[in-house]
């Protein structure tokens, strides 16, 4: 078996490990005529550009052109909201690119950029979320998610608690930084190679900046060395700069950000702050939740509105909350415009409820695992925005199965014994669930197209609108086509994603790449198979509905005689039967009222749960992740090996966000205010082998077919990231074990070793206060 359900390796795996894989910048490096682009970055968090002198740069050796706002023939804006000037007259964050220098070499362009002289008028800046809230600096919509009477539920609740939570941002830190390569042909057609998740939108923005129509611009995304959402919106302006340079000079232009530029110029995961109040009954069941949630959007809107919307829609995670009232806000600060990141606001929203349960459990005198279990959704329940929780029984089943697989009860006893025997070393374990909605918030994005060619020799070429960023989408799409046409996988090749092959595509995001593009490919293949079935039926003397395609052979139902797929194709060609098809897919059954925050925005929910065990050193706060067990629902997996890899990778990336990756800006009142302090791997801690679980097991939930989705599969890109909540909650348990028990443990996010140390100290302080002082002798 080599189609759907087979454990195939990534289609570019051999190229990756041998170093033969080509990326956008590799294409540029092959063109000796290419000019190199370098940004002139502002040295103020907020300032007005008073004057710009480019004369010294233009006379600098090897400099060919300096691009400024005056060179833009179209619209000087790179944002879909028209709030992101490509060449700004007002600097909105430290590192904002004011103009770009094109040089014969990268070094020539860099030195030319240093020669550009700019006079700034510094302006007041807001760098922190607290500063923006205090100043009332907000942007975009302020949605309200509500159900029932939260105020009344809280007023009558036997147990009522309140608190505050802040969580930090996260840098995408993809292996391949942002890159674009643009050229113009003899007819004026602009060709842009871009490391982008959204080629069609990159095409639109480039055309907008150049004053062209979309059909005059072609964008190709060969592959990306990671993206995680950071290349959904952020590549557009960079592609536009490269294209503008190519139009201005008549030469190809190469633009690749180095690591420091990438970290100082492009958006991150949104930091969030939440003030909440929650009520429970005597048995620990949630009764009501009221909260104000604020996202740090940075200087422009970007995707902040849908990110916030998804955060609010995921504040329930896997728990029934009968009464809810949550206000969402987007702060406007003088920082990079924050953007999509794996989970798209869902992790921030889910973190809030997980933090609430982790903090409130000891005050309710209920074990955290048990408190979570009692509040899990059950069949017949609805979300706060009115969507029925289909297959809610899977949440409880996954919870029970995982508990047995991971031997949770036994290990809790062993951890208690270990902690009693060790004064300065404690262990903790936690179980956390995941319920994650799959579909784009914006309903129109839930569509996709594909183009499938069958050649006379029986080989197959597929084009689709999805982009490959290492997640294995192309592998899955080949498997879908192989299964739909009944041919071996090696007969199916996939062409790079291009806007002149499949138009008007949606971003490869929201974990929907396989659902949407797989549906479109399956549709195209079924059109072709239907035509071929009629040809084969005449040769096999059966009804066309009884023709079966499998393993490269075509036979009638119940017949031993078989025709080769290539033979049927040849006969079809001779009979003038169309051997190519444009496929299309749209997600049915979804609707969403963004103003009311009500509807059914998700096709289905992906479920999962994780158990993690940690060990904390009380002297330093350093910790080891001893073991993680995961049980995750991917429906009927299209490609099990790819899916397990995605679950492992998502979990580790989530653990990085929650425990290690402490992204910081300079908040001082000096001239460096607003500067990114964590500009490289030397100052920004990423997960490594030493942070991986020492024991790591992943199981796919069985008998999990999802109706109405391509071959019964479910999305896997984003949901596993939230399984990492189990690590943070295990750290909370371990820190609490240094205290007397039954005391709320507050843990910052990220829960770095330093943060864990102070949580341990707080627990020890409570323990010391409760220890009787012996009478003096």
């Amino acid at each position: 078996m080599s189609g759907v359900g087979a454990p195939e390796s990534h289609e570019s795996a051999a190229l990756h490990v041998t170093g033969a894989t080509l990326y956008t910048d590799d294409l540029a490096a092959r063109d000796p005529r290419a000019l190199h682009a370098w940004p002139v970055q502002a040295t103020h968090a907020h300032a007005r550009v008073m004057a710009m002198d480019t004369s010294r740069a233009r006379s600098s050796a090897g400099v060919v052109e300096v691009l400024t706002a005056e060179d833009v023939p179209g619209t000087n804006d790179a944002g879909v909201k028209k709030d992101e000037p490509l060449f700004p007259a007002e600097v909105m964050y430290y590192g904002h690119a004011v103009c770009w220098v094109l040089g014969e070499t990268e070094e020539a362009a860099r030195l030319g950029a240093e020669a550009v002289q700019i006079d700034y008028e510094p302006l007041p800046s807001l760098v922190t979320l607290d500063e923006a809230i205090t100043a009332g600096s907000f942007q975009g919509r302020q949605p309200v998610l509500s159900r029932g009477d939260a105020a009344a539920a809280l007023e009558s609740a036997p147990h009522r608690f309140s608190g505050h939570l802040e969580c930090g941002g996260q840098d995408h830190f993809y292996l391949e930084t942002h890159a674009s390569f643009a050229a113009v042909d003899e007819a004026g057609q602009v060709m842009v190679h871009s490391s982008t998740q959204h080629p069609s939108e990159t095409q639109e923005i480039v055309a907008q900046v150049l004053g062209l129509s979309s059909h005059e611009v072609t964008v190709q995304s060969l592959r990306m060395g990671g993206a995680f959402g950071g290349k959904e919106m952020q590549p557009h302006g960079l592609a536009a700069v490269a294209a503008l340079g190519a139009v201005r000079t008549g030469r190809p232009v190469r633009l690749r950000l180095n690591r420091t530029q990438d970290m100082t110029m492009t958006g991150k995961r949104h930091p969030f702050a939440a003030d909440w109040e929650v009520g429970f009954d005597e048995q620990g069941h949630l009764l009501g939740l009221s909260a104000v949630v604020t996202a740090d959007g940075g200087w422009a809107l970007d995707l902040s509105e849908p990110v916030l919307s998804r955060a609010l829609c995921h504040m329930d995670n896997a728990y029934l909350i009968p009464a809810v009232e949550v206000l969402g806000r987007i702060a406007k600060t003088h920082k990079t415009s924050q953007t999509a990141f794996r989970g798209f606001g869902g992790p921030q929203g889910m973190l809030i409820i997980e933090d609430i349960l982790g903090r409130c459990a000891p005050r309710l005198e209920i074990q955290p695992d048990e408190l979570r279990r009692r509040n899990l959704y059950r069949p017949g329940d609805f979300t706060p925005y009115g969507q029925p929780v289909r297959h809610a029984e899977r949440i409880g089943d996954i919870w029970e199965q995982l508990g047995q697989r991971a031997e949770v009860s036994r290990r809790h006893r062993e951890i208690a014994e270990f902690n009693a025997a060790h004064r300065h070393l404690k262990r903790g374990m936690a179980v956390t669930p995941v319920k994650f909605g799959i579909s784009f918030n914006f309903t129109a994005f839930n569509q996709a197209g594909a183009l499938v060619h069958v050649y006379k020799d029986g080989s197959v070429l597929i084009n689709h609108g999805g982009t490959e960023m290492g997640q294995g989408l192309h592998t899955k799409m080949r498997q879908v086509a192989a299964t739909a046409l009944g041919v071996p996988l090696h007969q199916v090749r996939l062409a790079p994603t291009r806007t002149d092959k499949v138009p008007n595509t949606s971003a490869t995001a929201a974990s929907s790449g396989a659902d949407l593009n797989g549906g479109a490919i399956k549709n195209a293949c079924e059109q072709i198979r239907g035509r071929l079935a009629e040809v084969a039926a005449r040769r096999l003397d059966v009804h066309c509905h009884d023709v079966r395609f499998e393993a490269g052979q075509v036979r009638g139902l119940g017949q031993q005689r078989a025709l080769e797929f290539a033979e049927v194709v040849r006969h079809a060609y001779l009979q003038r039967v169309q051997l190519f098809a444009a496929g299309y897919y749209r997600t049915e059954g979804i609707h969403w009222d963004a103003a009311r925050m009500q509807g059914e925005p998700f096709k289905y929910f992906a479920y999962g749960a994780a158990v993690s065990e940690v060990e904390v050193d009380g002297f330093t706060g350093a910790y080891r992740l001893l073991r993680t067990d995961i049980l995750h629902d991917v429906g009927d997996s299209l490609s099990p090996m790819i899916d397990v890899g995605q679950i492992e990778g998502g979990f580790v990336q989530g653990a990085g966000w929650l425990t290690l990756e402490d992204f910081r800006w300079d908040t001082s009142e000096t001239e460096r205010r607003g500067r990114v302090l964590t500009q490289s791997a030397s100052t920004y801690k990423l997960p490594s082998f030493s942070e991986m679980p020492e024991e790591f097991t992943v199981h796919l939930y069985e008998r999990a077919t999802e109706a109405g989705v391509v071959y019964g599969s479910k999305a896997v890109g984003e949901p596993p990231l939230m399984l990492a909540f189990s690590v943070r909650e295990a750290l909370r348990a371990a820190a609490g074990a240094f205290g007397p028990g039954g005391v709320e443990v507050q843990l910052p996010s990220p829960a770095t070793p330093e943060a864990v140390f102070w949580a341990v100290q707080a627990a020890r302080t409570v323990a010391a206060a409760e220890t009787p002082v012996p009478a003096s002798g």
Side-chain angles (χ1 to χ4, degrees):
M1 181 174 70
S2 59
V4 165
E8 295 289 335
S9 60
H10 192 285
E11 49 94 24
S12 294
L15 297 176
H16 290 334
V17 298
T18 58
T21 311
L22 294 179
Y23 295 89
T24 296
D25 195 54
D26 295 316
L27 302 178
R30 291 180 163 197
D31 192 329
R33 296 182 60 246
L35 298 175
H36 302 256
W38 194 275
V40 177
Q41 293 183 260
T43 54
H44 298 274
H46 188 203
R48 190 173 288 112
V49 177
M50 303 303 293
M52 184 187 306
D53 182 359
T54 63
S55 59
R56 287 179 56 202
R58 293 179 187 276
S59 62
S60 180
V63 170
V64 175
E65 181 64 282
V66 179
L67 300 177
T68 68
E70 297 176 355
D71 300 315
V72 177
T75 304
N76 180 31
D77 199 282
V80 296
K81 300 282 187 180
K82 301 296 188 290
D83 63 345
E84 299 181 47
L86 188 60
F87 299 96
E90 183 179 345
V91 169
M92 296 299 287
Y93 65 96
Y94 198 109
H96 203 161
V98 180
C99 64
W100 291 77
V101 176
L102 306 181
E104 296 285 358
T105 65
E106 191 172 73
E107 181 67 2
R110 183 185 69 80
L111 293 175
E114 290 183 357
V116 174
Q117 296 178 304
I118 302 178
D119 292 332
Y120 297 101
E121 178 190 350
L123 299 171
S125 60
L126 302 170
V127 176
T128 70
L129 200 47
D130 284 344
E131 290 171 349
I133 293 172
T134 301
S137 177
F138 300 105
Q139 57 184 328
R141 295 188 307 109
Q142 294 195 1
V144 176
L145 177 67
S146 63
R147 172 170 66 182
D149 190 337
L154 292 171
E155 186 65 33
S156 62
H159 301 283
R160 187 173 176 179
F161 309 107
S162 62
H164 177 78
L165 170 69
E166 293 184 17
C167 64
Q170 184 180 23
D171 191 85
H172 301 82
F173 216 100
Y174 9 68
L175 291 175
E176 177 203 26
T177 57
H178 279 277
S180 293
F181 176 51
V184 183
D185 69 13
E186 73 284 354
Q189 180 75 15
V190 180
M191 179 69 195
V192 181
H193 299 272
S194 176
S195 185
T196 176
Q197 292 174 245
H198 201 170
S200 287
E201 198 165 79
T202 299
Q203 174 192 32
E204 292 169 17
I205 296 299
V206 169
Q208 169 185 294
V209 170
L210 297 180
L212 301 175
S213 299
S214 289
H215 75 287
E216 298 174 276
V217 177
T218 300
V219 174
Q220 173 174 296
S221 178
L222 179 60
R223 60 170 57 84
M224 289 167 279
F228 313 116
K231 295 177 180 176
E232 183 174 347
M233 292 278 285
Q234 304 273 310
H236 306 338
L238 302 173
V241 168
L244 176 62
V247 169
R248 288 282 298 170
T249 65
R251 293 175 60 179
V253 173
R254 172 192 191 188
L255 188 159
R256 179 188 63 83
L257 301 184
N258 62 33
R259 181 63 63 188
T260 299
Q261 290 167 342
D262 200 285
M263 295 187 76
T264 57
M265 292 174 63
T266 65
K268 326 296 173 195
R269 184 186 294 281
H270 291 70
F272 266 57
D275 291 289
W276 53 265
E277 191 169 5
V278 67
F280 296 88
D281 67 14
E282 294 290 2
Q283 287 72 46
H285 296 115
L286 286 158
L287 296 176
L289 171 67
S290 175
V292 176
V293 177
T294 309
D296 185 344
W299 75 281
L301 267 178
D302 195 274
L303 288 164
S304 294
E305 288 178 318
V307 164
L308 178 64
S309 177
R310 184 172 281 268
L312 266 56
C313 287
H314 283 77
M315 277 188 63
D316 58 333
N317 190 9
Y319 311 110
L320 175 65
I321 313 174
V324 176
E325 183 83 17
V326 182
L327 167 66
R329 307 180 298 186
I330 304 166
K332 184 170 185 175
T333 56
H334 295 104
K335 292 189 285 195
T336 55
S337 183
Q338 314 317 353
T339 191
F341 199 128
R342 199 174 192 170
F344 203 78
Q348 293 97 313
M350 293 159 74
L351 176 62
I352 295 169
I353 189 63
E354 292 299 339
D355 191 66
I356 288 171
L357 295 177
R359 289 168 63 172
C360 294
R363 299 176 69 175
L364 291 167
E365 298 182 347
I366 301 173
Q367 288 298 317
D369 293 355
E370 176 60 18
L371 182 62
R372 289 184 167 89
R373 189 196 65 79
R374 291 183 190 182
N375 284 286
L376 293 175
Y377 275 118
R378 289 174 171 77
D381 288 341
F382 286 75
T383 66
Y385 44 90
Q387 178 157 351
V389 185
R390 286 198 308 120
H391 301 311
E393 67 281 357
R394 292 187 183 183
I395 305 174
D397 191 36
I398 287 172
W399 187 275
E400 295 301 323
Q401 282 194 37
L402 181 64
Q404 294 171 12
R405 283 182 180 272
E407 301 179 286
V408 169
S409 298
R410 175 186 63 78
R411 287 167 60 200
H412 268 309
R413 293 192 297 271
E414 291 176 354
I415 288 171
E417 294 170 1
F418 178 92
N419 290 344
H422 295 79
R423 181 181 178 188
H424 299 296
L425 205 61
K426 304 291 184 183
R427 291 181 178 176
M429 186 170 68
V431 188
T432 58
V434 165
K435 174 187 71 62
F436 191 84
I438 303 298
S439 287
F440 281 97
N441 298 62
F442 183 50
T443 304
F445 281 173
N446 294 289
Q447 59 177 307
L451 183 61
V452 175
H453 298 164
V454 175
Y455 294 97
K456 286 186 289 183
D457 64 355
S459 61
V460 181
L461 178 68
I462 59 176
N463 298 266
H464 65 87
T467 56
E468 176 63 48
M469 60 195 90
Q471 83 279 36
L473 176 62
H474 286 352
T475 306
K476 288 185 173 183
M477 295 305 93
R478 290 178 64 226
Q479 289 179 272
V480 167
T483 297
L485 290 173
V487 298
L489 189 63
H490 68 80
Q491 281 185 226
V492 181
R493 192 176 76 82
L494 194 139
T497 308
R498 286 172 59 121
T499 57
D500 59 356
K501 295 295 187 294
V502 180
N504 309 320
T505 58
S506 300
T508 305
S511 301
S512 62
D515 287 359
L516 297 179
N517 296 289
I521 288 172
K522 185 170 180 283
N523 173 254
C525 291
E526 287 172 346
Q527 292 178 48
I528 297 169
R529 192 181 68 195
R531 299 175 197 139
L532 292 177
E534 294 184 5
V535 175
R538 290 190 290 269
R539 299 192 66 80
L540 295 168
D541 195 26
V542 297
H543 193 279
C544 62
H545 291 164
D546 291 334
V547 176
R548 298 292 182 267
F549 293 76
E550 187 175 359
Q553 295 188 323
V554 184
R555 55 168 46 91
L557 188 63
Q559 289 186 344
Q560 293 297 316
R561 178 191 174 200
L563 303 174
E564 293 297 317
F565 180 81
E567 180 185 352
V568 175
V569 168
R570 283 194 298 274
H571 284 292
Y573 172 75
L574 293 173
Q575 295 172 34
R576 295 184 295 176
V577 173
Q578 183 179 336
L579 293 173
F580 60 91
Y584 181 75
Y585 175 83
R586 54 177 282 174
T587 308
E588 300 293 346
I590 57 174
H591 57 91
W592 179 241
D593 186 333
R596 295 175 51 245
M597 291 289 287
Q598 291 292 307
E600 297 188 19
F602 306 120
K603 177 68 174 176
Y604 57 83
F605 295 104
Y607 303 116
V611 180
S612 291
E613 181 180 350
V614 299
E615 184 177 278
V616 171
D617 183 333
F619 290 113
T620 64
Y623 44 80
R624 295 163 53 207
L625 178 50
L626 301 177
R627 177 176 170 180
T628 293
D629 296 84
I630 291 171
L631 182 58
H632 194 73
D633 172 20
V634 298
D636 290 340
S637 177
L638 292 176
S639 192
M641 198 152 65
I642 295 290
D643 283 347
V644 168
Q646 283 292 288
I647 293 168
E648 292 171 343
F651 171 83
V652 172
Q653 192 169 52
W657 169 55
L658 292 166
T659 66
L660 295 170
E661 299 179 45
D662 194 5
F663 201 93
R664 296 193 180 189
W665 280 267
D666 189 331
T667 58
S668 70
E669 295 300 328
T670 67
E671 61 181 15
R672 299 169 77 82
R673 175 176 170 79
R675 175 177 175 268
V676 172
L677 296 175
T678 47
Q679 297 189 5
S680 66
S682 63
T683 51
Y684 185 72
K685 175 61 177 170
L686 293 161
S688 61
F689 283 117
S690 59
E691 282 78 39
M692 290 284 287
E694 295 175 17
E695 291 184 60
F696 197 7
T697 59
V698 175
H699 294 280
L700 302 181
Y701 185 59
E702 297 176 352
R703 296 181 295 281
T705 299
E706 182 65 31
V709 190
V710 60
Y711 292 116
S713 66
K714 277 189 176 184
V716 72
E718 293 170 300
L721 185 136
M722 280 69 77
L723 295 167
F725 291 137
S726 60
V727 180
R728 184 171 184 269
E729 292 306 305
L731 288 171
R732 190 197 306 276
F738 286 92
V743 177
E744 176 184 346
V745 176
Q746 297 191 31
L747 196 60
S749 184
T752 61
E754 179 184 3
V756 171
F757 171 79
W758 291 115
V760 168
Q761 291 298 99
R764 281 176 162 164
T765 299
V766 173
E770 294 185 4
T771 301
V773 178
S776 60

